[in-house]
Amino acid sequence: MQELRDAGVMLRLIYEAMKKKGLDTDLVFSRLGVNAEYVYTDQLRTPHSAQLFFWQAVEDVSGDPDIGLHLGQLLPAYKGQVLEYLFLSSPTFGEGLRRAQNYQRLLSDAANTDFFIEGENACMVLDAASDDVRRLRHFNECFVQGLLSFFCSITDNEFRPSRVEFEHEREEGKEYVAEVLGCEVIFGADENRLYFPVSLLSRASPHAEPELLDLHERFASEQVARLEKKDIVGQVERIIAELLDSGEVTLNSVATRLDIKPRTLRTRLTEAETSFNQILADFRYRLARQLLATTDESIDEIVYLTGFSEPSTFYRAFKRWSGMTPIEYRKLAQGKDAMVDTP
C-alpha cells in the first residue's frame, strides 16, 4: 500500500499561523524530530499519518484544547500555487472547482473531495483525510478555515458558507465554532461537508483567460506526473521496513519483492531524483531517531533494528546524519514525541 503524503504548503501555512500565535515552534518541531528549516524543504511532502503526531505536539506545547480552531483563524491565504491559478483562470468558480478536483493530489494524496447540488446549495464532501485523520478535530477545524479563506480570496470575499458538517464530536464550544465559521455547524455527522449557495458556482472569474488556463492545466498535469514517478519511493520504503531486520536489504532483494528487474528499479528511482542507497540511508536515519526519542531500547538493539552490522558503523553513520552521537540525540529528545515517518 502506497504511503499517503501531504504537500509541504499545508505545513508551511500552519507554521506561519503558529508564529502569529506566538507558539514555541522550535519546541513543537523538536518533538517531531525535525527543525523549522524542514518546513521550507524544496518539494516537501510530509507523511499524512504524521498529522496525528503533529497536532498532539501542537496541543501539548500550546496548552490550548482548541488550537486547531484558533490557528485556522490565523492561516495565511493559500497563494501562489497551481490550484489557485486553475481557479482564477477558469471562466467560473464552479469550473475552477471541477478542474481542481482533477489535481487535488497536489495538495494531498489523501484528498478525494467531491461536490454535488442539493436544492439551493452546493455541497463539497471534504474527503481530504485518511480514516485515522478525518475525525481529528484540530485538523478538521483548521483545514475548513483554510478552505474558506482560500475561497474568499479567489472570489473577492463573495464566498459564504451555508453550513459545515464535521465528523468529529464536540462537547463544548459549538456556538463559538459556528461564530468563527460564520454559519450553522453540525458535529458528529457521517461526513465532513461544506455547503454554500449554488449561485456561487456560476460566479464569473474576472481573471479568466483561456490561454493561461491551458498553461496551468499542463503545469498541473506535469506536477501530478512527477508525483506518480515518486510513488516508487514509498513502495521501496515499505519493503525496506519489512526486510530491515533480515540483513538482506539490497536493491536486488527489493526489486525481487517488487517483481521488477534491478536495472528497472534503478532507472525508476533515478527518474524520481533519488537512489536506493539514499532511500535506505534516509529510512535508517528516521527509524533511528524514532527509536532513540520514543523508546528505551539499548543502542545495541537499535543497531540491530536499523539493519547495521555493528555499533561502530551505526555511530559513524548517525554522527554523519545528525551532527551528534546517538546518545547526545537521545538526551536532547528525551521524553519527546518523534514524527515517525518524516522524510
Side-chain angles (χ1 to χ4, degrees):
M1 181 178 177
Q2 178 64 32
E3 181 186 48
L4 302 177
R5 292 183 177 268
D6 300 324
V9 66
M10 296 178 68
L11 181 57
R12 285 192 285 273
L13 293 176
I14 296 172
Y15 175 60
E16 293 299 324
M18 289 164 60
K19 290 196 295 184
K20 288 182 184 178
K21 184 72 173 172
L23 294 186
D24 187 341
T25 54
D26 288 340
L27 181 54
V28 170
F29 284 112
S30 70
R31 292 193 173 200
L32 303 174
V34 297
N35 57 39
E37 294 177 1
Y38 167 76
V39 177
Y40 294 100
T41 303
D42 188 39
Q43 299 183 18
L44 174 66
R45 289 184 75 83
T46 60
H48 182 69
S49 59
Q51 293 283 354
L52 301 168
F53 297 94
F54 173 79
W55 285 109
Q56 186 60 59
V58 173
E59 181 178 343
D60 289 346
V61 170
S62 67
D64 182 357
D66 286 329
I67 190 61
L69 182 69
H70 294 150
L71 287 181
Q73 295 174 273
L74 300 173
L75 282 176
Y78 177 78
K79 292 282 190 180
Q81 303 287 325
V82 67
L83 291 179
E84 180 195 15
Y85 300 148
L86 282 173
F87 269 98
L88 293 176
S89 56
S90 293
T92 65
F93 177 77
E95 285 296 313
L97 197 59
R98 291 184 182 91
R99 283 185 169 85
Q101 277 187 279
N102 296 329
Y103 306 104
Q104 54 193 311
R105 189 183 176 188
L106 296 178
L107 191 62
S108 174
D109 296 335
N112 188 29
T113 59
D114 197 3
F115 79 95
F116 58 88
I117 308 299
E118 189 176 275
E120 296 183 354
N121 281 304
C123 173
M124 282 190 68
V125 179
L126 303 179
D127 191 2
S130 64
D131 290 341
D132 290 336
V133 177
R134 72 198 317 159
R135 297 179 185 86
L136 190 61
R137 177 163 56 90
H138 296 319
F139 174 85
N140 286 341
E141 294 177 2
C142 189
F143 176 77
V144 164
Q145 288 184 80
L147 194 61
L148 294 179
S149 173
F150 173 63
F151 286 164
C152 284
S153 174
I154 60 176
T155 60
D156 296 324
N157 291 316
E158 290 184 25
F159 186 90
R160 292 290 182 273
S162 303
R163 183 170 80 250
V164 172
E165 297 181 358
F166 287 122
E167 286 190 46
H168 66 266
E169 298 280 0
R170 238 188 189 277
E171 297 299 325
E172 300 178 349
K174 295 181 180 180
E175 297 80 5
Y176 179 56
V177 178
E179 180 182 340
V180 169
L181 299 184
C183 64
E184 177 188 8
V185 180
I186 295 174
F187 296 92
D190 292 334
E191 293 180 307
N192 293 312
R193 292 184 173 189
L194 169 63
Y195 291 84
F196 58 91
V198 70
S199 58
L200 283 168
L201 293 175
S202 58
R203 180 193 179 276
S205 170
H207 308 286
E209 175 55 60
E211 291 184 1
L212 282 178
L213 179 59
D214 289 342
L215 179 65
H216 295 151
E217 284 209 272
R218 286 199 300 273
F219 183 50
S221 296
E222 290 170 0
Q223 287 192 324
V224 169
R226 186 168 66 242
L227 289 178
E228 290 173 347
K229 285 184 179 180
K230 290 182 178 294
D231 285 347
I232 187 66
V233 175
Q235 296 172 25
V236 169
E237 287 181 337
R238 175 178 53 80
I239 294 173
I240 286 175
E242 295 171 356
L243 296 177
L244 201 57
D245 61 0
S246 71
E248 295 295 326
V249 188
T250 64
L251 184 140
N252 286 352
S253 63
V254 171
T256 298
R257 291 286 294 271
L258 288 171
D259 197 25
I260 59 177
K261 294 180 179 179
R263 182 175 59 186
T264 301
L265 176 57
R266 188 179 293 109
T267 299
R268 291 180 63 183
L269 291 176
T270 300
E271 291 174 347
E273 302 175 356
T274 188
S275 67
F276 178 78
N277 288 338
Q278 185 63 54
I279 295 171
L280 177 58
D282 290 346
F283 185 88
R284 281 173 158 171
Y285 181 36
R286 296 200 307 269
L287 180 58
R289 290 205 319 264
Q290 176 203 353
L291 293 170
L292 289 166
T294 64
T295 75
D296 294 322
E297 296 282 4
S298 68
I299 299 296
D300 285 344
E301 183 65 15
I302 292 175
V303 169
Y304 167 74
L305 292 173
T306 51
F308 284 90
S309 57
E310 56 186 36
S312 61
T313 308
F314 171 70
Y315 269 82
R316 286 196 299 270
F318 196 88
K319 178 75 171 180
R320 185 175 67 252
W321 293 330
S322 67
M324 63 183 78
T325 68
I327 293 174
E328 289 171 339
Y329 181 86
R330 171 166 270 173
K331 288 180 179 178
L332 184 67
Q334 190 71 38
K336 297 174 182 177
D337 301 315
M339 182 180 281
V340 176
D341 289 312
T342 302

